[in-house]
Amino acid sequence: MQGLRRSAPIFAALGDETRLTLVARLGAGERLSTSNLTEGTDITRQAVTKHLGVLEGAGLVRSTRAGRETLWELEPKRLGDARKALDSIARHWDSALDRLRDLVER
Amino acid sequence: MNEPHDRIERQTVLRAPRSRVWKMIVDPAQFGLWLNVRFPFTSFAPGQVAVGVCTVPEFADMRWEMVVDRIEAEHHFSYFWHPFAVDKNVDYSGEEKTLVTFTLEEVDGGEATRLTVVESGFSKVPLARRAKAYEMNGKGWSIVVGSIEASVHA
């Protein structure tokens, strides 16, 4: 359950459509430059850079410099952590209901 | 935006009369048996700030706090709380709470009870900004993660 608290910044970082789109595009596994990621969006490169900064702050993506470009890639482990955190909320209820069943059906 | 992932819903049929299941919810001692909390009082009332102590060993002595919402005999019980507020070093009081509701219906001529548990309001709390995350591009969160994992392990 501690994982949920740790994952809060991840959910906050993902609670935005633009950032989700960026994560989805990086989800193909390829490293993409800020320019690549700005293509096909209706927001400025500056705004994209800012969103990538938020994702990087949450540990969801990492950047490397390649000449004048910044290349971005996903940190898949952090996404896995977030998914586990979400699953654990639902599991809490499943196990509580199992305990209830044991108590009332015996 | 439609946010079905703003909530967790579970439904189960228990082979016990509704009055028995109701007692497990509305009696603080019995509530505590399956929700792992010990309360120092013997009844719930609407509006009550119910404070207890967690009984799960790994979270022993942790404070449990909920605000009782509605109590409708043998039919509906609900409360607000901070889900998984398990870190003693964090002040959760500024965060929105989720609403947990238990709804009971008689089935099989009263021999069994259908219990529906809904916890809603996750989109307002930090841990579940995921509600929107889940919706993105019409894809499920798991699909996104799956594709990431596939690409990493390829």
Side-chain angles (χ1 to χ4, degrees), chain A residues 5 11 93-94 101 105, chain B residues 10 12 15 92 119 127:
Chain A
R5 170 53 40 185
F11 299 127
W93 282 113
D94 290 334
R101 179 182 305 282
E105 292 188 354
Chain B
R10 287 289 188 273
T12 191
R15 307 303 308 174
Y92 296 91
E119 182 164 4
L127 69 86

Side-chain angles (χ1 to χ4, degrees), chain B residues 110-125:
Chain B
E111 287 184 16
T113 306
R114 180 181 295 117
L115 174 65
T116 306
V117 181
V118 177
E119 182 164 4
S120 60
F122 283 109
S123 64
K124 296 181 205 146
V125 299

Side-chain angles (χ1 to χ4, degrees), chain B residues 28-135:
Chain B
Q30 306 228 34
F31 178 102
L33 288 178
W34 63 286
L35 287 162
N36 295 328
V37 54
R38 189 170 56 246
F39 291 112
F41 49 81
T42 55
S43 64
F44 290 127
Q48 175 187 13
V49 180
V51 178
V53 173
C54 190
T55 57
V56 181
E58 60 263 43
F59 298 110
D61 301 329
M62 212 171 55
R63 180 186 163 91
W64 167 300
E65 181 179 321
M66 66 186 202
V67 179
V68 180
D69 176 42
R70 280 162 53 204
I71 303 177
E72 293 165 21
E74 299 205 6
H75 174 65
H76 179 104
F77 183 94
S78 53
Y79 62 89
F80 291 96
W81 80 324
H82 293 297
F84 298 93
V86 295
D87 187 339
K88 285 180 178 172
N89 301 314
V90 173
D91 176 15
Y92 296 91
S93 58
E95 293 182 6
E96 293 273 352
K97 296 183 175 75
T98 55
L99 174 65
V100 176
T101 67
F102 301 117
T103 309
L104 289 72
E105 295 164 80
E106 283 189 334
V107 289
D108 285 354
E111 287 184 16
T113 306
R114 180 181 295 117
L115 174 65
T116 306
V117 181
V118 177
E119 182 164 4
S120 60
F122 283 109
S123 64
K124 296 181 205 146
V125 299
L127 69 86
R129 298 281 160 83
R130 65 179 171 95
K132 284 180 182 160
Y134 227 107
E135 287 297 301

